[in-house]
Amino acid sequence: MKQSILIFFVYFSFIVFGFSQSKEYELIVPDLTNPWGFTFLPDNAMLITEKEGKLIHFKDGVKTEVKGVPEIYLRGQGGFLDIELHPNYPNNNWIYFTYASSEGKGSGGNTSLIRAKLKNNQLIDKQVLYKASPNSTRGQHFGSRITFDEENHVYFSVGDRGNRDEYPQDITKDGGKIYRLNDDGTIPKDNPFVNVNNAKKAIYSYGHRNPQGMEVNPETKEIWSHEHGPKGGDEINIIKIGKNYGWPKVSYGVNYSGTKFTDNTSLPNMENPIYYWTPSIAPSGMAFINSEKYGKWNGNLLIGSLKFQYLTRCILKGDKVFKEVKMLKDIGRVRSIVQGLDGFIYVGVENLGIIKLLPE
């Protein structure tokens, strides 16, 4: 009898232990609809943007809605988008946001970059740093991710707003671009088109479709970005100053109907992606693993899939994707990814919340 009990206990322990070790994630912030972006404050609290127009402060299991959020133009893919702290946040308290705004001429909206400070769960000292124009009632391709370089320049993306044949290749117009500003919203003197007549002086690179992932590679300090293709042709690019990334002149994708809009996958004076997906995975969110928490995964690149509802771990060799490993399969539409102050990776999943990725 005692031997039977011992065998059962060992078997039960094995099952429980095996289950706990195979668990891929832990739910940290439950019950979120579309956590488009999030970041960690120095006290390890989270600030989370809900696309519908809410900013949530989360700490010790308590959600508090932050007041004073700018008026959000909610349409299609547009809403409250990304959030990022200034690299020197402990000293200056600046928080940066992108969102769809109806400010300016014309009906509809376009992507705006704002900065503000947080005091008593309210945004104060709000400053609009950039507002793309013109407004449009189209519901697609607002972008928009934010990142900073080592010189505290702020970069942000704006999609082509569904007007692929006019905006991405025209540097006198917003849309289909990645922009660079000084942290106060002024134009850096060495931006590539500051001396070009009628050009949008904030442009850093152009020829983009709809970038929804952007991050500085912690090893090379280069800016990596990914963007949605149409039917096929999602891309990962390394963003270089003044370069043309080709959309819609070059693409590995086709129209949603299956017809071609270009025969070119490469052209002179246009940058080729370092990696692309066909069929499209609909990428959103991006983070490099820069932490010993994950052992051999350190240095890998994580990207979410909205379409196939998984997290892909891209194993890199230099500036190339050597292999992909699918994780968190069928978890839901992966929208945002951030490495926390504790070195763990956190993932925002639509209609679930924010989870912590557990090591193998």
Side-chain angles (χ1 to χ4, degrees):
M1 181 67 178
K2 288 183 178 179
Q3 186 178 12
S4 298
I5 293 173
L6 179 62
I7 291 172
F8 174 79
F9 178 77
V10 171
Y11 176 76
F12 180 77
S13 299
F14 174 79
I15 294 296
V16 171
F17 180 77
F19 174 78
S20 66
Q21 290 302 296
S22 67
K23 186 179 178 183
E24 286 189 278
Y25 69 90
E26 177 185 351
L27 182 61
I28 303 299
V29 188
D31 303 322
L32 297 173
T33 302
N34 191 342
W36 216 99
F38 63 98
T39 191
F40 288 87
L41 294 170
D43 65 355
N44 216 37
M46 286 189 199
L47 285 177
I48 307 160
T49 61
E50 277 270 32
K51 176 177 171 284
E52 67 188 62
K54 293 180 180 179
L55 179 62
I56 296 169
H57 178 277
F58 178 85
K59 187 177 181 182
D60 298 331
V62 177
K63 294 179 193 168
T64 305
E65 187 172 346
V66 176
K67 297 178 180 179
V69 169
E71 185 176 348
I72 306 297
Y73 175 71
L74 187 61
R75 184 181 181 91
Q77 297 169 6
F80 207 1
L81 304 175
D82 207 16
I83 178 173
E84 191 74 33
L85 300 187
H86 190 285
N88 197 26
Y89 177 82
N91 294 319
N92 63 29
N93 297 318
W94 285 117
I95 308 168
Y96 292 71
F97 307 90
T98 49
Y99 63 102
S101 168
S102 59
E103 293 295 318
K105 295 181 179 180
S107 58
N110 213 327
T111 306
S112 185
L113 174 74
I114 194 174
R115 71 175 182 174
K117 295 181 180 181
L118 180 66
K119 184 177 182 180
N120 299 326
N121 280 316
Q122 181 157 346
L123 293 183
I124 62 171
D125 297 341
K126 294 186 288 260
Q127 300 174 6
V128 176
L129 303 184
Y130 198 90
K131 167 64 172 58
S133 62
N135 287 336
S136 170
T137 56
R138 294 186 179 188
Q140 67 266 49
H141 304 175
F142 291 83
S144 168
R145 292 293 173 187
I146 308 169
T147 195
F148 285 85
D149 66 16
E150 290 187 305
E151 297 175 323
N152 293 341
H153 295 119
V154 56
Y155 298 75
F156 62 101
S157 59
V158 178
D160 69 9
R161 297 296 284 106
N163 195 336
R164 75 180 186 196
D165 296 321
E166 184 178 359
Y167 295 159
Q169 291 295 318
D170 189 342
I171 61 171
T172 70
K173 296 178 180 177
D174 285 317
K177 314 292 193 306
I178 289 174
Y179 301 80
R180 179 177 74 164
L181 298 173
N182 294 319
D183 57 5
D184 62 357
T186 57
I187 303 294
K189 293 180 180 178
D190 59 343
N191 265 14
F193 304 113
V194 288
N195 296 318
V196 178
N197 287 339
N198 300 319
K200 297 287 186 177
K201 312 303 184 188
I203 294 172
Y204 188 77
S205 64
Y206 65 107
H208 300 285
R209 186 172 184 265
N210 191 29
Q212 290 190 337
M214 189 161 56
E215 194 75 19
V216 173
N217 184 318
E219 294 295 322
T220 67
K221 308 306 178 185
E222 295 173 311
I223 295 173
W224 287 43
S225 177
H226 66 61
E227 59 185 88
H228 292 257
K231 190 176 182 181
D234 300 339
E235 300 179 354
I236 302 176
N237 291 294
I238 297 176
I239 305 304
K240 299 174 183 176
I241 186 167
K243 296 298 185 179
N244 181 354
Y245 288 80
W247 177 255
K249 302 290 186 182
V250 299
S251 178
Y252 287 91
V254 296
N255 290 313
Y256 291 110
S257 64
T259 60
K260 288 186 176 182
F261 58 87
T262 180
D263 291 321
N264 300 308
T265 56
S266 181
L267 283 175
N269 301 315
M270 295 185 181
E271 299 299 300
N272 295 321
I274 64 167
Y275 194 71
Y276 66 91
W277 289 272
T278 298
S280 295
I281 67 166
S284 185
M286 170 185 277
F288 289 90
I289 300 178
N290 185 31
S291 165
E292 297 300 328
K293 298 283 189 184
Y294 296 95
K296 65 182 180 180
W297 295 358
N298 193 14
N300 289 179
L301 176 66
L302 299 175
I303 295 173
S305 169
L306 297 168
K307 181 177 180 180
F308 294 117
Q309 303 189 9
Y310 60 72
L311 184 71
T312 181
R313 179 167 60 85
C314 299
I315 302 170
L316 305 177
K317 284 193 173 181
D319 61 357
K320 302 296 180 185
V321 176
F322 169 70
K323 182 181 179 181
E324 282 188 85
V325 179
K326 296 176 183 177
M327 307 171 67
L328 305 177
K329 293 180 182 178
D330 300 318
I331 193 169
R333 286 164 57 88
V334 176
R335 176 58 72 179
S336 45
I337 312 166
V338 174
Q339 182 171 295
L341 303 177
D342 57 5
F344 284 102
I345 295 292
Y346 295 81
V347 182
V349 183
E350 294 183 12
N351 298 309
L352 175 62
I354 294 175
I355 62 171
K356 179 167 74 173
L357 182 68
L358 300 179
E360 268 188 325

